[in-house]
Amino acid sequence: MSRQSTAEAGGPRAAAMPMLGLGTWKNDDPEACTNAVATALEAGYRHIDTAQAYGNEEHVGRGIERADVPRDDVFLATKVWIDRLAYDDVLASTAESLRKLGVNAVDLLYVHWPAGEYAPEDTFRAFDELVDNERVDRIGISNFEPEQVDDAIDRTDAPIFANQVELHPLLPQEELRAHCVDRGVEVVAYSPLARGAVFDVPEVTEIAAKHGVSEAQVSLAWLREKGVTAIPKATGGSHIRDNLASRDLSLDAEDVAAIDAIDRTDRRVDPGFAPW
């Protein structure tokens, strides 16, 4: 059953996290990224996701500034890269991220991967300090497996708000999703369209034809039915609006069961330092 993501604690705004956001991975062309963010916000998006490693925080910030949408209405997330996870580096790099984004605080700051300079005690000591200083509203983790989720929860004073992972009809992550729900951690799906692979999945295509919508809308609606927030990347206005229209699509039980029964696994993000 679908549900709305909520924040019980966090910081100055503590606004709800919209269940559909704009992803900006590999959108590093200055004008294209700025336009995509502004277009998305003016179309109705209120959740923008970026990362230090994307090299586009400054462009994202310009897009937010360009859009005719108040900053306090935008749920903004970024991530600290693996070579900046030592205590001092977290603080310094986050200050730089805020400067590039042109904001005083972000709604959600993730540990991008549990790799590189990640040392839970020192890393999360810095994250907690950023929350205490109201530079970050919520702490997130990304690409964490169940055991690492538990360890992160044990290391922080502030609650772990969300775990962002690759998740789509070809990588449903049932065990990890269930574990996060049990621990009170929101799940955010990156690459929710399997980087385009969902367009070639017969089950998804059949459901899309049934409803007269795109395969992208079906995949995003399926994630919403699972209670998962999705952040699909889109640069052109037509794709941005098509993804947004997924909020109006209601899948029936038969649709959800058909996607759940897909017997094919396709993980699209698998670096050598991944924890699985």
Side-chain angles (χ1 to χ4, degrees):
M1 180 179 296
S2 64
R3 59 184 171 83
Q4 291 295 316
S5 298
T6 58
E8 295 300 328
R13 287 178 296 277
M17 177 174 67
M19 292 192 74
L20 182 69
L22 179 74
T24 61
W25 178 77
K26 282 200 171 179
N27 191 357
D28 53 7
D29 177 81
E31 194 60 22
C33 183
T34 298
N35 284 339
V37 171
T39 297
L41 289 174
E42 291 176 351
Y45 286 74
R46 292 297 181 266
H47 180 178
I48 306 294
D49 182 272
T50 184
Q52 294 173 354
Y54 299 171
N56 63 10
E57 288 174 316
E58 194 166 1
H59 318 325
V60 168
R62 282 201 295 266
I64 294 172
E65 183 179 15
R66 181 180 296 181
D68 188 21
V69 175
R71 163 66 187 104
D72 284 355
D73 291 348
V74 180
F75 189 97
L76 178 60
T78 193
K79 311 176 195 72
V80 181
W81 187 239
I82 64 174
D83 62 356
R84 302 167 193 171
L85 291 171
Y87 172 81
D88 289 336
D89 293 336
V90 169
L91 299 179
S93 68
T94 301
E96 180 68 5
S97 290
L98 296 179
R99 185 193 68 77
K100 289 179 177 178
L101 289 164
V103 298
N104 293 321
V106 291
D107 298 87
L108 179 56
L109 184 71
Y110 293 97
V111 175
H112 205 152
W113 291 85
E117 298 302 313
Y118 176 64
E121 184 174 354
D122 287 342
T123 298
F124 287 120
R125 182 163 61 95
F127 272 63
D128 278 330
E129 185 172 322
L130 289 165
V131 172
D132 290 341
N133 292 334
E134 297 190 348
R135 310 302 277 170
V136 169
D137 288 352
R138 304 165 186 80
I139 292 174
I141 52 181
S142 184
N143 300 296
F144 277 48
E145 293 287 275
E147 300 80 5
Q148 293 163 319
V149 171
D150 290 342
D151 185 58
I153 290 171
D154 290 342
R155 302 280 187 169
T156 59
D157 293 328
I160 297 296
F161 177 75
N163 186 16
Q164 184 179 131
V165 298
E166 181 182 353
L167 206 163
H168 46 71
L170 300 177
L171 190 67
Q173 301 263 38
E174 294 102 331
E175 180 183 349
L176 180 58
R177 278 194 288 115
H179 188 79
C180 287
V181 169
D182 287 345
R183 298 309 310 267
V185 176
E186 298 281 351
V187 178
V188 178
Y190 71 74
S191 298
L193 308 181
R195 302 199 171 169
V198 297
F199 291 92
D200 299 317
V201 178
E203 294 89 342
V204 175
T205 298
E206 183 176 341
I207 295 167
K210 169 184 168 181
H211 292 279
V213 299
S214 68
E215 289 89 347
Q217 289 187 41
V218 171
S219 298
L220 296 172
W222 174 78
L223 286 166
R224 190 177 66 250
E225 289 293 327
K226 300 296 183 182
V228 174
T229 295
I231 49 167
K233 174 195 172 183
T235 53
S238 61
H239 287 157
I240 286 170
R241 287 185 288 273
D242 185 72
N243 291 342
L244 187 64
S246 68
R247 299 187 305 180
D248 300 323
L249 173 62
S250 295
L251 300 180
D252 58 37
E254 183 181 2
D255 298 330
V256 174
I259 296 173
D260 289 348
I262 292 173
D263 187 20
R264 174 182 164 195
T265 300
D266 188 355
R267 183 185 286 276
R268 289 297 173 117
V269 181
D270 194 15
F273 54 75
W276 45 80

